[in-house]
């Protein structure tokens, strides 16, 4: 009887010294991306879908992957009314080139706008298993310069802006459950 009790006690103490598995739940919110929604410039209350939108970060050779299952150039093209793009977690600005109708056989149909997003960022502790995530605040003040919008829009191809208006709907980027930027075209 003593042997059985000794084995049970040894087994109990052995289990109590095991460490809990630290696995980050896939549903745990991580660093959010900037959510951009597109609207019709002529009728601002109507959502409008972009066609073959390619978004390329400054200094990058390939675009953001919007379609992981696609192959070739198609994986970089967004078709819809909403996209989510990452911001740099180690800097206070990120610049993207937005190419509308990318891949069109007629080069005159392709239009490019470049947008520089200014923001501040903060690392927030999530859990021991998940570590930290970064949250962002779009910043109208950038590096001591006079107040501007939290973005600067330029026209690198000199074809005119396809993004006629850009509005900040939510300056705080803490989740991907809401639209942060509205673009009218």
């Amino acid at each position: 009887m003593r042997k059985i009790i000794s084995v049970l006690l040894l087994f109990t103490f052995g289990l109590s010294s095991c460490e809990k598995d630290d696995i980050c739940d896939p549903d745990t919110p991580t660093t959010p991306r900037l959510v951009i929604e597109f609207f019709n410039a002529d009728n601002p209350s109507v959502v409008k879908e972009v066609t073959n939108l390619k978004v390329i970060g400054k200094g990058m050779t390939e675009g953001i992957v919007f379609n992981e299952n696609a192959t070739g150039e198609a994986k970089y093209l967004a078709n819809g009314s909403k996209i989510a793009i990452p911001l740099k977690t180690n800097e206070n600005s990120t610049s993207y080139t937005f190419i509308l109708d990318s891949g069109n056989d007629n080069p005159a149909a392709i239009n490019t706008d470049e947008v520089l997003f200014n923001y501040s960022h903060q690392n927030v502790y999530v859990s021991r298993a998940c570590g930290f995530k970064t949250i962002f605040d779009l910043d109208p003040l950038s590096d001591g310069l006079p107040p501007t919008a939290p973005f600067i829009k330029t026209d690198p191809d000199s074809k005119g802006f396809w993004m006629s208006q850009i509005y900040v709907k939510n300056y705080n980027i803490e989740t991907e459950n809401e639209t942060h930027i509205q673009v009218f075209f």
Side-chain angles (χ1 to χ4, degrees), residues 8-173:
L8 287 174
L9 284 174
L10 184 60
F11 182 71
T12 303
F13 287 126
L15 287 179
S16 68
S17 66
C18 291
E19 287 190 33
K20 181 177 96 172
D21 286 339
D22 281 338
I23 299 173
C24 185
D25 183 3
D27 294 332
T28 302
T30 58
T31 298
R33 296 172 293 175
L34 178 69
V35 178
I36 301 173
E37 191 168 15
F38 299 95
F39 291 87
N40 187 331
D42 296 328
N43 190 355
S45 62
V46 176
V47 174
K48 186 175 180 182
E49 293 191 0
V50 291
T51 304
N52 293 335
L53 176 66
K54 185 173 184 179
V55 182
I56 303 173
K58 188 169 189 132
M60 305 294 288
T61 56
E62 297 179 341
I64 295 174
V65 176
F66 291 112
N67 304 305
E68 292 180 14
N69 297 330
T71 58
E73 192 67 17
K75 68 182 173 182
Y76 304 113
L77 301 178
N79 291 292
S81 62
K82 201 179 271 195
I83 63 169
I85 58 175
L87 297 174
K88 293 180 182 177
T89 58
N90 57 347
E91 295 184 26
N92 289 330
S93 66
T94 302
S95 183
Y96 282 107
T97 301
F98 293 81
I99 306 168
L100 188 64
D101 290 329
S102 179
N104 191 319
D105 293 335
N106 179 5
I110 300 171
N111 198 338
T112 303
D113 288 357
E114 188 173 292
V115 181
L116 171 72
F117 297 99
N118 297 309
Y119 51 86
S120 59
H121 60 277
Q122 177 183 3
N123 292 328
V124 177
Y125 182 75
V126 177
S127 68
R128 189 169 89 174
C130 299
F132 288 85
K133 73 175 186 176
T134 304
I135 58 173
F136 306 93
D137 288 313
L138 291 173
D139 188 6
L141 300 173
S142 64
D143 298 331
L145 298 174
T148 61
F151 55 86
I152 300 170
K153 183 172 69 165
T154 55
D155 182 20
D157 62 4
S158 302
K159 291 183 180 179
F161 292 108
W162 69 267
M163 295 181 188
S164 60
Q165 296 287 329
I166 301 175
Y167 290 109
V168 178
K169 187 171 180 188
N170 190 347
Y171 282 86
N172 300 322
I173 304 169

